[in-house]
């Protein structure tokens, strides 16, 4: 597994581009079907090929080089996107992706955190509810991980959900202990085995090549 940190809402920026998705696209002009005339004329646009472009872009910006170590699973942290339309776009762009949805039940405690003090609690509640509603609608791809429920059994359940077997956590680290400081590594026992989950994914008949 290789999991990178934040990337400045890159997925939201891509969402606004024509052909990719979002409010800025004019579907009748720059949609994926053939448009034989006018200033936006083009042949058929293969959306799967565009999604492969997005995947290659993210592999590069998170430092997953093709010349480096190969990882069975790669991913990144995204804490600023709660808009269900953008989340739907993310699922479309990454059709084999799985989403670990981390949130806080205690919104008052969340508001006391350094980066949320100026945010109205009504906005925090709205964003949290939006994220959880999306997670429930996409339950086949999401794992709900509330901060208040962090425990060794829950993280071992997450391992199984990810397709990891034959190993388990014995301890749980505290990553922000005393600020942005690393705690000791979480201890594990066993020899982990990973089996990639399979999904039913619809791919454009015009093949998209990674």
């Amino acid at each position: 597994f290789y999991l990178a940190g934040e990337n400045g809402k890159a997925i939201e920026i891509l969402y606004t581009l024509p052909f990719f998705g979002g409010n800025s696209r004019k579907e009748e002009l720059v949609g994926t079907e053939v448009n034989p005339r006018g200033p936006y004329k083009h042949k058929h646009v293969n959306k799967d090929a565009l999604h492969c472009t997005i995947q290659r872009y993210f592999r590069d910006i998170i430092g997953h080089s093709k010349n480096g170590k190969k990882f069975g699973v790669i991913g990144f942290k995204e804490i600023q996107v709660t808009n269900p339309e953008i989340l739907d776009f993310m699922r479309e762009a990454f059709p084999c992706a799985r989403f670990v949805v981390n949130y806080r039940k205690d919104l008052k405690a969340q508001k006391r955190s350094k980066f949320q003090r100026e945010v109205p609690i009504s906005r925090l509640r709205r964003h949290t509810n939006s994220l959880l509603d999306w997670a429930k609608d996409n339950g086949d791809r999401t794992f709900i991980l509330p901060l208040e429920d962090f425990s060794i059994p829950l993280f071992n359940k997450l391992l199984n959900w990810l397709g990891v077997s034959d190993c388990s956590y014995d301890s749980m680290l505290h990553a922000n202990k005393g600020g942005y400081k690393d705690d000791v590594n979480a201890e594990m026992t066993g020899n982990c085995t990973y089996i990639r989950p399979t999904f039913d994914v619809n791919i454009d008949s015009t093949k998209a090549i990674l």
Side-chain angles (χ1 to χ4, degrees):
F1 284 73
Y2 171 65
L3 301 178
E6 300 172 52
N7 49 57
K9 295 197 295 185
I11 193 69
E12 182 173 310
I13 296 170
L14 289 173
Y15 173 73
T16 66
L17 297 177
F19 293 100
F20 283 158
N23 296 328
S24 67
R25 76 174 173 186
K26 299 178 180 178
E27 188 66 53
E28 72 279 7
L29 296 177
V30 296
T32 58
E33 299 306 314
V34 175
N35 188 349
R37 63 179 66 87
Y40 289 95
K41 66 181 180 181
H42 58 76
K43 294 183 179 180
H44 173 77
V45 177
N46 182 349
K47 291 197 73 173
D48 291 319
L50 290 177
H51 295 158
C52 287
T53 299
I54 294 174
Q55 294 165 26
R56 286 193 295 267
Y57 168 75
F58 271 92
R59 280 202 298 263
D60 287 341
I61 67 170
I62 67 175
H64 184 256
S65 171
K66 285 187 176 180
N67 298 321
K69 181 179 178 180
K70 301 293 184 182
F71 293 90
V73 178
I74 62 174
F76 57 90
K77 172 186 175 184
E78 177 55 72
I79 65 171
Q80 300 184 68
V81 174
T82 59
N83 183 327
E85 292 184 0
I86 301 176
L87 293 170
D88 284 343
F89 170 63
M90 188 183 297
R91 175 169 175 164
E92 184 180 356
F94 301 97
C96 294
R98 310 187 88 188
F99 301 85
V100 179
V101 179
N102 180 213
Y103 74 103
R104 295 190 73 160
K105 296 179 180 179
D106 188 343
L107 295 180
K108 292 182 178 179
Q110 182 178 352
K111 182 172 171 55
R112 290 195 297 269
S113 65
K114 181 177 180 180
F115 297 106
Q116 306 289 352
R117 290 172 186 166
E118 304 303 320
V119 180
I121 198 166
S122 59
R123 186 187 303 174
L124 293 177
R125 183 175 294 106
R126 184 170 64 252
H127 288 175
T128 299
N129 289 340
S130 177
L131 180 61
L132 291 178
D133 286 344
W134 184 86
K136 291 174 183 177
D137 289 341
N138 294 273
D140 60 326
R141 300 293 177 90
T142 57
F143 186 93
I144 307 298
L145 189 67
L147 174 67
E148 290 81 357
D149 291 352
F150 279 12
S151 66
I152 294 173
L154 182 60
F155 280 102
N156 283 329
K157 184 178 179 181
L158 173 61
L159 282 181
N160 291 330
W161 180 79
L162 289 169
V164 178
S165 60
D166 302 324
C167 62
S168 61
Y169 287 110
D170 290 333
S171 63
M172 186 173 65
L173 60 78
H174 188 174
N176 66 336
K177 190 174 183 179
Y180 292 115
K181 299 178 182 179
D182 289 334
D183 198 358
V184 296
N185 292 330
E187 298 293 332
M188 299 188 74
T189 57
N191 296 307
C192 296
T193 301
Y194 172 68
I195 300 177
R196 184 188 298 274
T198 57
F199 304 107
D200 293 328
V201 179
N202 294 322
I203 300 296
D204 194 318
S205 58
T206 306
K207 288 187 176 179
I209 301 176
L210 274 171

